[in-house]
Amino acid sequence: MKTLDHWLASPWRRSAVAVLAGALPVLAFPGPALWWWAWFALVPWILLARTAPGGRRAAYDGWCGGFGFVLAMHHWLLPNLHVFTFVIAALLGALWVPWGWLVRRTLGGAPSTGRVAAALLVLPSGWLLAELVRSWQGLGGPWGMLGASQWQVAPALRLASVGGVWLLSFLVVAVNVALAVLVAVRRARVPALAGLVATAAATSAAWVWSPRPDTDERAAIAVVQPGVVAGADSADRRFDREEQLTRRLADRDLDLIVWGESSVGFDLDDRPDLARRLAALSRETGADILVNVDARRSDKPGIYKSSVLVGPEGPTGDRYDKMRLVPFGEYVPFRSVLGWATSVGKAAGEDRRQGTEQVVMNVGDGLRIGPMVCFESAFPDMSRSLVADGAEVLVAQSSTSTFQHTWAPEQHASLAALRAAETGRPMVHATLTGVSAVYDANGARIGSWLGTDASTSRVYEIPLTHGTTPYVRYGDWTVYAALVTLAAWGAAEGVRTVRLRRSGRARPAPPARTAHGSPARPGR
């Protein structure tokens, strides 16, 4: 141990270890998808920060670990943003500065049983604070939230229906803290074991008592995935391919057909020929078609990404304009300052325009769907709002073709499982080039994924549900509880500090001694 401490005494070596420790949790996400890894992946990072020689160094360990986490989670951006990927990772990594400081404050040295018990609540709350700030759309949104690594674990999905992905993140961090204490603070094993037991009890209680939506009817929804279509006139050729694949769906008794993000590269008012072809497809298949138009609009300035519903007579008038745009991919934040990103990578040359409100659409025989576009499926509040407004099926139209041979398509597809479980509504994730996926109201996969090598159309029989999950009803209560926990702990620490200072001032000085060694008495 002394040899290790001596080796870590070098600030550069310690920083490198912190970066690597922060990157470890990424293995729990797709592509590797080692979900079990998340439950102890933070232990090295925690052990490092708790042994920091001071609070400032612990905060820096938090920053370095955050840098490693963000960079590893978004490494597939490197071919597009180049050096700017490191800038983003450094900026977002700073969100873990308070967390690193909190680790040392609660677990540093030889912590008492009380401090360890507090750490089991304070450290997960501090982690949620970092995730909360990072979830702002302007900072890239809630991509890679720690709890999202549990998208294929049935008990975890049941917990998501109670407290959303936030509750999963909280519990994953709490378990990591407990394991770190068991490794490094043996005399505090009791609260650590109690934390593990509490997590198991919460999972069991959610499994037994959390209400699940009831299943009644079914809807037949088809996904059209044309695959990679590149080169000159790609928009027209992609439309031709989607049209061909959609014709194969005739006589399938469908309720809805979904095309992916940017499936139509022209405004339908400017290209009435395309609108007529879509209407003909709707008549031929007997189903409405939800397309996604990525084009400059004819009725207002700017480029929009819009979910547009087309029926047998043409566009129905139902339209949703994407509200949350991808930073740098669809707009450059603070372009006057950060516009140089377009010169070093493939950042957006022109900002797309934002929509103003979410929309629930009526399709087929009264089926109500809630459309989202691209990484909007990462935002729990958007799907929750759509379900609260009456959506029976959530639909995300996406395209990760730019990152075709990376972990991004699978990471994106996995998010729909969480949104389905949180809201108790099935979700369709339809893409241009894969991965497309469909999940039932429990977050379980329906059928197989359409991978990045597929160019096809597929029909999914989707059970419809009714009822309300606790997460839809109560929202982000886990986040509010975490903020209250941090505030209460901060107040308690402040009171403790004041008391220590007062007791130090009130303590009488030792009596002075005479030359003979005896205490001097007053009055002599």
Side-chain angles (χ1 to χ4, degrees):
M1 181 63 69
K2 290 183 178 179
T3 302
L4 179 60
D5 291 341
H6 177 73
W7 190 82
L8 289 175
S10 166
W12 290 105
R13 282 196 290 264
R14 187 180 185 93
S15 298
V17 171
V19 170
L20 292 174
L24 289 177
V26 76
L27 298 176
F29 295 81
L34 306 176
W35 63 266
W36 44 268
W37 179 257
W39 296 93
F40 53 83
L42 295 179
V43 171
W45 191 1
I46 294 172
L47 294 179
L48 182 70
R50 74 172 291 271
T51 60
R56 181 177 298 179
R57 179 65 233 192
Y60 194 70
D61 289 342
W63 191 349
C64 292
F67 171 82
F69 178 78
V70 175
L71 184 62
M73 187 61 64
H74 299 85
H75 70 275
W76 38 268
L77 287 173
L78 282 167
N80 294 82
L81 294 183
H82 305 302
V83 68
F84 207 77
T85 309
F86 294 93
V87 176
I88 293 173
L91 292 174
L92 295 182
L95 296 176
W96 279 269
V97 165
W99 188 76
W101 181 86
L102 283 172
V103 169
R104 186 184 184 279
R105 182 70 176 179
T106 56
L107 296 180
S112 65
T113 299
R115 294 195 76 78
V116 169
L120 292 171
L121 294 176
V122 171
L123 294 183
S125 298
W127 184 280
L128 252 62
L129 179 62
E131 289 197 332
L132 176 64
V133 177
R134 186 167 63 95
S135 295
W136 178 47
Q137 176 257 326
L139 293 179
W143 187 283
M145 293 177 69
L146 194 59
S149 65
Q150 306 304 297
W151 64 276
Q152 55 185 326
V153 183
L157 291 171
R158 188 69 64 88
L159 281 170
S161 74
V162 176
V165 68
W166 307 102
L167 180 57
L168 298 184
S169 290
F170 186 96
L171 293 178
V172 168
V173 177
V175 169
N176 274 271
V177 172
L179 292 177
V181 170
L182 289 177
V183 170
V185 193
R186 296 187 177 182
R187 68 189 188 92
R189 286 177 173 176
V190 172
L193 290 173
L196 294 176
V197 171
T199 301
T203 304
S204 301
W207 184 263
V208 174
W209 299 109
S210 62
R212 301 304 301 160
D214 298 323
T215 302
D216 40 33
E217 302 176 358
R218 288 177 175 265
I221 298 179
V223 171
V224 174
Q225 180 177 301
V228 177
V229 180
D233 302 322
S234 59
D236 284 307
R237 291 187 293 109
R238 181 183 299 111
F239 190 96
D240 293 341
R241 178 59 178 162
E242 290 163 331
E243 185 178 40
Q244 178 187 12
L245 293 172
T246 302
R247 282 206 173 95
R248 298 179 183 178
L249 300 170
D251 303 320
R252 296 294 299 271
D253 192 23
L254 299 174
D255 294 287
L256 178 67
I257 299 171
V258 183
W259 290 11
E261 178 188 10
S262 304
S263 50
V264 179
F266 308 93
D267 186 85
L268 293 178
D269 289 335
D270 287 338
R271 291 288 302 270
D273 59 314
L274 298 184
R276 287 193 295 269
R277 288 165 66 181
L278 286 168
L281 287 174
S282 178
R283 291 192 297 271
E284 189 174 343
T285 58
D288 288 349
I289 304 174
L290 186 70
V291 301
N292 188 269
V293 177
D294 184 1
R296 195 174 302 279
R297 289 183 62 162
S298 59
D299 59 338
K300 58 176 65 176
I303 301 174
Y304 287 80
K305 279 191 177 181
S306 306
S307 300
V308 177
L309 189 65
V310 181
E313 304 301 323
T316 65
D318 287 322
R319 180 186 190 113
Y320 166 64
D321 296 325
K322 185 178 182 182
M323 295 172 61
R324 296 183 182 174
L325 305 177
V326 180
F328 299 99
E330 293 171 340
Y331 79 104
V332 176
F334 310 108
R335 184 177 286 274
S336 60
V337 177
L338 302 178
W340 59 271
T342 60
S343 62
V344 298
K346 298 179 181 178
E350 178 183 348
D351 293 349
R352 283 176 169 79
R353 304 299 180 90
Q354 288 181 291
T356 57
E357 61 181 358
Q358 291 185 268
V359 177
V360 175
M361 301 178 181
N362 289 299
V363 303
D365 297 325
L367 179 66
R368 292 169 61 81
I369 65 168
M372 293 174 283
V373 183
C374 191
F375 92 139
E376 289 183 331
S377 65
F379 293 85
D381 65 301
M382 295 196 74
S383 53
R384 174 174 172 255
S385 176
L386 287 169
V387 170
D389 288 341
E392 297 172 276
V393 178
L394 298 170
V395 179
Q397 297 172 293
S398 178
S399 172
T400 49
S401 54
T402 304
F403 314 104
Q404 190 73 353
H405 302 293
T406 70
W407 293 355
E410 291 183 344
Q411 284 184 18
H412 201 177
S414 70
L415 296 175
L418 288 158
R419 304 294 86 83
E422 288 169 344
T423 59
R425 295 293 184 271
M427 184 160 183
V428 176
H429 179 80
T431 71
L432 285 184
T433 60
V435 171
S436 297
V438 179
Y439 302 91
D440 67 16
N442 295 310
R445 188 186 304 174
I446 297 176
S448 59
W449 278 6
L450 298 182
T452 54
D453 58 345
S455 175
T456 187
S457 55
R458 184 166 297 175
V459 178
Y460 296 88
E461 294 290 333
I462 301 175
L464 302 180
T465 58
H466 60 271
T468 305
T469 64
Y471 178 70
V472 171
R473 181 175 292 123
Y474 301 114
D476 300 327
W477 62 267
T478 310
V479 176
Y480 303 136
L483 295 177
V484 170
T485 298
L486 291 173
W489 180 83
E493 286 292 292
V495 170
R496 177 172 174 270
T497 300
V498 170
R499 286 179 176 174
L500 287 175
R501 288 176 178 175
R502 287 179 176 176
S503 62
R505 287 197 301 266
R507 187 180 298 117
R513 293 185 175 272
T514 65
H516 300 286
S518 59
R521 295 179 182 177
R524 289 188 60 182

